[in-house]
């Protein structure tokens, strides 16, 4: 039953279907434990000392029907720090497992995320509100359930930046400082220190992950698995009709297709997730769990931002499509007890390859300003990527400059600012000239009207992305007490494809000081 709350204007309709329709844990509260035959546990956020709202997403407040008065209220800070519940909120942590770095890790669950409830907005959309960093849950294992300010700023900003780039993602409503310290050993080198804590309220139609399906399956809890899949289809994929295996197969194919499109989008904008464990993949094909993610500066398919991943580089930029597919195979295995044979699941896996290649070709056409991607265009971009890697070329700046390319005067000069190393530019200049000639010829063959080509490229090749060093500068300021940078950067990231005169400094390539600095070139999982 939807419950309505109306308190000083903050007005939500809650319809907590996950709790109502899926089996839950008989025990309430944060005592750490194995939770069997259940997909969630009731647990309250742990109150914090001094909540202070640092930032909100204007678009998310509008979607949720919150006004200016609500946002600046004391009550807003209290609710979205986890100190106060509104009527209809029924907090819980969900239970899932996952493959981490290729290995089955058993029960993981929401160790520091607590959902407040599923709200239905005025447009009838379902949005689950989830606090990240709200204190311990049964799934916190040996950790504290908290989050530091630096990682919370990164999650808050990147969620919204990705949305504005057109990349499917969980959203962020708010960033609230807790007024409490959290102790973290940032480099895992035996030097723990207190850092300021924060809570992000993230928002999505569903936070279900591949790992939600893997856990009951790994335990042989086939009925729980079936209940979960039936529920996920009913709530999150209501357009899927039919029954039994056919319905399940359609669902898996759609998850596969969405995942393929998601990863193609990451590749388009130069985003590296950094921890593509199966517990960090959403069944809705949303980017989820912003941890040690990073953005490509100099084009490098071998780059991983995650220091924990530095050895095997499993989660490097160029491997993301293959890893997504590997994760889908894990999901297929997890739901296989609901199928008599493997053909339908294999077809779902095959759908990944087809959907990825279609999305990739579409992105190639958009990034190069072509009406369609032909077979030789795939080779054209492959050769460009190889050159960009060899010559250390900034991905974002290169493609943005390509939008103004003059096919009648193909020279490298308009791309000068995209090179990190002048010597490497000079060494590779002849090859770049060859490439630009090929590109010019391609543009002359089946050309789009100039204005259409430029607009297509403008929308596919953002000028402003959340470069690692930009986020770190905001964090440095915030840790010194100046929170203004958070809103400033969010404002720029709201219109990533617009020129934004006066904001060009936010489009500058990585400065030298950021090349090897923690937070800019690499990130630990400590958060
Ligand atoms: P991640 O690598 O961030 O996706 O996290 C993997 C697992 O560790 C998830 O189950 C998280 O909920 C849990 N986790 C991460 N950080 C904390 C923390 N500070 N307290 C409790 N659980 C955590
Ligand atoms: Mg996670």
């Amino acid at each position: 039953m939807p419950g309505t709350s109306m308190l000083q204007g903050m007005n939500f309709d809650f319809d907590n279907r996950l709790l109502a329709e899926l089996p839950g844990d008989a025990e309430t509260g944060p005592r750490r434990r194995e939770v069997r035959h259940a997909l969630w546990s009731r647990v309250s956020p742990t109150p914090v000392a001094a909540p202070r709202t640092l930032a909100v997403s204007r678009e998310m407040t509008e979607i949720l029907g919150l006004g200016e008065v609500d946002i600046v209220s004391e009550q807003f800070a209290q609710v979205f720090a986890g100190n106060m519940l509104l009527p209809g909120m029924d907090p819980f942590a969900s239970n899932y497992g996952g493959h981490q770095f290729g290995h089955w890790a058993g029960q993981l669950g929401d160790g520091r995320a607590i959902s407040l409830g599923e709200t239905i907005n005025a447009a009838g959309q379902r949005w689950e509100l989830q606090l990240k960093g709200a204190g311990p849950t049964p799934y916190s294992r040996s950790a504290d359930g908290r989050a530091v300010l630096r990682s919370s700023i990164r999650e808050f900003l990147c969620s919204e930046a990705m949305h504005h780039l057109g990349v499917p993602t969980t959203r962020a409503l708010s960033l609230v400082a807790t007024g409490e310290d959290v102790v973290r050993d940032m480099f895992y080198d035996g030097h723990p220190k207190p850092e300021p804590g924060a809570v992000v309220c993230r928002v999505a139609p569903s936070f279900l992950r591949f790992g939600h399906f893997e856990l009951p399956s790994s335990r042989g809890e086939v009925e729980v698995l079936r209940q979960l899949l039936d529920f996920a289809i009913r709530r999150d994929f209501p357009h899927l009709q039919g029954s039994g295996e056919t319905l399940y197969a359609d669902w898996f194919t759609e998850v596969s297709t969405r995942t393929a499109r998601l990863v193609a989008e990451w590749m388009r904008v130069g985003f590296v997730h950094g921890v593509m464990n199966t517990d960090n993949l959403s069944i809705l094909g949303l980017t989820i769990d912003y941890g040690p993610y990073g953005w490509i500066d100099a084009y490098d398919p071998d780059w991983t931002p995650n220091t924990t991943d530095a050895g095997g580089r499993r989660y490097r930029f160029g491997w993301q499509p293959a890893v997504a597919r590997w994760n889908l195979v894990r999901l297929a295995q997890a739901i296989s007890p609901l199928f008599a044979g493997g053909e339908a699941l294999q077809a779902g896996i095959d759908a990944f390859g087809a959907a990825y290649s279609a999305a990739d070709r579409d992105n190639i056409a958009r990034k190069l300003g072509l009406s369609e991607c032909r077979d030789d265009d795939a080779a054209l971009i492959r050769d460009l990527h190889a050159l960009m890697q060899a010559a250390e070329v900034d991905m974002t700046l290169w493609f943005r400059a390509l939008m103004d390319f003059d096919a009648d005067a193909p020279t490298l000069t308009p791309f000068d600012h995209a090179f990190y190393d002048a010597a490497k530019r000079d060494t590779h200049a002849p090859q770049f000239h060859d490439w630009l000639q090929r590109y010019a010829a391609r543009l002359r063959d089946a050309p789009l009207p100039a204005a259409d080509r430029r607009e297509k490229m403008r929308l596919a090749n953002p000028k402003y992305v959340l470069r690692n060093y930009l986020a770190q500068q905001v964090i440095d300021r915030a840790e010194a007490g100046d929170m203004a940078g958070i809103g400033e950067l969010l404002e720029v990231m709201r219109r990533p494809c617009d020129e934004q005169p006066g904001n060009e400094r936010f489009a500058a390539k990585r400065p030298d000081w950021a090349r090897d600095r923690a937070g800019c070139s690499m990130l630990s999982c400590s958060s």
Side-chain angles (χ1 to χ4, degrees):
M1 267 270 289
T4 302
S5 74
M6 205 174 306
L7 210 61
Q8 289 179 17
M10 268 217 267
N11 183 358
F12 293 109
D13 276 347
F14 284 103
D15 175 29
N16 300 326
R17 282 183 69 180
L18 191 142
L19 293 189
E21 298 179 28
L22 287 178
D25 181 5
E27 183 176 337
T28 295
R31 188 185 66 81
R32 316 300 204 264
R33 56 194 182 266
E34 285 265 294
V35 177
R36 300 204 168 241
H37 306 286
L39 290 155
W40 52 267
S41 304
R42 278 202 168 85
V43 61
S44 299
T46 303
V48 297
R52 180 158 74 98
T53 306
L54 301 182
V56 297
S57 152
R58 199 193 305 171
E59 289 78 14
M60 260 339 288
T61 59
E62 279 165 16
I63 287 170
L64 295 174
L66 298 173
E68 193 58 35
V69 187
D70 303 318
I71 299 161
V72 299
S73 69
E74 171 64 16
Q75 189 193 31
F76 184 95
Q78 295 286 344
V79 169
F80 294 107
N83 281 15
M84 181 193 282
L85 294 177
L86 296 173
M89 286 180 171
D90 195 352
F92 68 93
S94 75
N95 192 8
Y96 56 80
H99 279 83
Q100 299 186 316
F101 295 92
H103 303 284
W104 175 244
Q107 176 181 302
L108 296 168
D110 291 325
R112 55 171 166 176
I114 298 183
S115 283
L116 298 173
E118 302 167 37
T119 178
I120 309 293
N121 74 356
Q125 299 164 328
R126 177 174 306 272
W127 291 104
E128 183 169 330
L129 307 178
Q130 186 178 83
L131 303 183
K132 184 164 174 179
T137 78
Y139 310 101
S140 298
R141 294 172 289 157
S142 59
D144 58 8
R146 292 297 185 193
V148 289
L149 177 62
R150 59 182 158 79
S151 70
S152 304
I153 289 176
R154 285 168 48 83
E155 172 135 21
F156 175 81
L157 286 176
C158 203
S159 306
E160 293 304 284
M162 291 288 262
H163 166 73
H164 294 297
L165 282 165
V167 182
T169 178
T170 62
R171 304 292 301 275
L173 168 67
S174 56
L175 171 68
V176 180
T178 59
E180 291 180 4
D181 282 345
V182 179
V183 176
R184 289 289 181 270
D185 184 2
M186 181 150 92
F187 300 109
Y188 303 119
D189 61 357
H191 294 93
K193 70 172 177 85
E195 299 187 50
V199 175
V200 170
C201 178
R202 54 184 187 180
V203 188
S206 168
F207 285 98
L208 289 179
R209 304 146 186 268
F210 290 11
H212 277 103
F213 298 83
E214 290 180 278
L215 184 62
S217 183
S218 74
R219 291 168 166 172
E221 298 171 358
V222 178
E223 271 324 296
V224 175
L225 175 68
R226 185 186 301 280
Q227 280 177 286
L228 174 63
L229 183 49
D230 288 341
F231 170 79
I233 293 172
R234 266 196 319 275
R235 190 190 67 171
D236 300 334
F237 297 76
H239 53 281
L240 293 180
Q241 298 296 319
S243 62
E245 269 194 39
T246 321
L247 176 61
Y248 295 161
D250 289 350
W251 175 82
F252 181 66
T253 299
E254 184 166 337
V255 174
S256 198
T257 307
R258 285 181 184 233
T259 305
R261 293 193 184 127
L262 172 69
V263 177
E265 284 295 87
W266 291 352
M267 303 309 287
R268 171 176 69 89
V269 298
F271 175 80
V272 194
H273 183 286
V275 209
M276 288 179 71
N277 295 332
T278 55
D279 50 304
N280 291 338
L281 263 86
S282 134
I283 58 162
L284 283 182
L286 308 173
T287 314
I288 190 172
D289 273 11
Y290 291 91
Y293 68 81
W295 291 81
I296 292 289
D297 293 310
Y299 185 84
D300 182 2
D302 294 330
W303 184 65
T304 176
N306 183 353
T307 51
T308 308
D309 190 35
R313 293 181 183 241
R314 180 182 179 85
Y315 298 139
R316 64 180 78 171
F317 179 55
W319 279 19
Q320 294 186 120
V323 171
R325 188 181 182 284
W326 189 91
N327 287 347
L328 280 159
V329 175
R330 303 286 84 71
L331 178 59
Q333 281 174 344
I335 62 171
S336 65
L338 306 178
F339 289 78
E343 301 77 19
L345 288 168
Q346 186 56 52
I349 297 288
D350 295 343
F352 175 87
Y356 183 80
S357 126
D360 185 42
R361 291 174 81 100
D362 187 46
N363 283 336
I364 292 171
R366 292 172 64 207
K367 287 187 84 71
L368 295 180
L370 310 171
S371 58
E372 56 162 350
C373 173
R374 306 190 304 213
D375 288 344
D376 49 348
D377 296 329
L380 188 65
I381 202 145
R382 212 172 31 245
D383 295 346
L384 172 62
H385 283 157
L387 266 180
M388 289 172 76
Q389 182 179 9
E392 262 190 75
V393 178
D394 189 89
M395 177 180 175
T396 305
L397 290 175
W398 173 275
F399 281 103
R400 190 70 181 182
L402 202 59
M403 168 177 105
D404 293 317
F405 176 70
D406 180 356
D408 296 325
T411 100
L412 198 52
T413 315
F415 301 93
D416 266 356
H417 64 299
F419 285 83
Y420 281 93
D421 182 330
K424 286 191 177 167
R425 179 198 59 206
D426 294 346
T427 311
H428 293 89
Q431 290 158 283
F432 275 105
H433 281 118
D434 288 349
W435 189 87
L436 290 172
Q437 297 282 2
R438 267 168 80 194
Y439 179 54
R442 174 64 179 93
L443 289 180
R444 281 191 292 267
D445 181 22
L448 285 175
D452 295 359
R453 172 173 76 88
R454 196 176 183 285
E455 184 63 1
K456 186 168 186 166
M457 294 176 80
R458 186 182 75 81
L459 296 175
N461 298 313
K463 175 162 180 164
Y464 299 98
V465 296
L466 192 68
R467 289 175 183 273
N468 315 311
Y469 83 89
L470 292 174
Q472 188 58 43
Q473 284 176 323
V474 166
I475 290 165
D476 290 343
R477 277 171 71 183
E479 289 180 344
D482 170 14
M483 303 297 169
I486 305 169
E488 281 166 27
L489 193 51
L490 176 60
E491 198 52 34
V492 175
M493 295 301 144
R494 289 178 68 235
R495 294 180 294 122
C497 297
D498 290 0
E499 281 300 316
Q500 303 193 39
N503 279 335
E504 287 80 5
R505 67 186 182 285
F506 294 99
K509 69 171 170 245
R510 180 198 60 219
D512 276 345
W513 62 259
R515 197 185 172 94
D516 298 311
R517 200 187 138 189
C520 299
S521 59
M522 62 200 146
L523 292 121
S524 83
C525 282
S526 152
S527 58

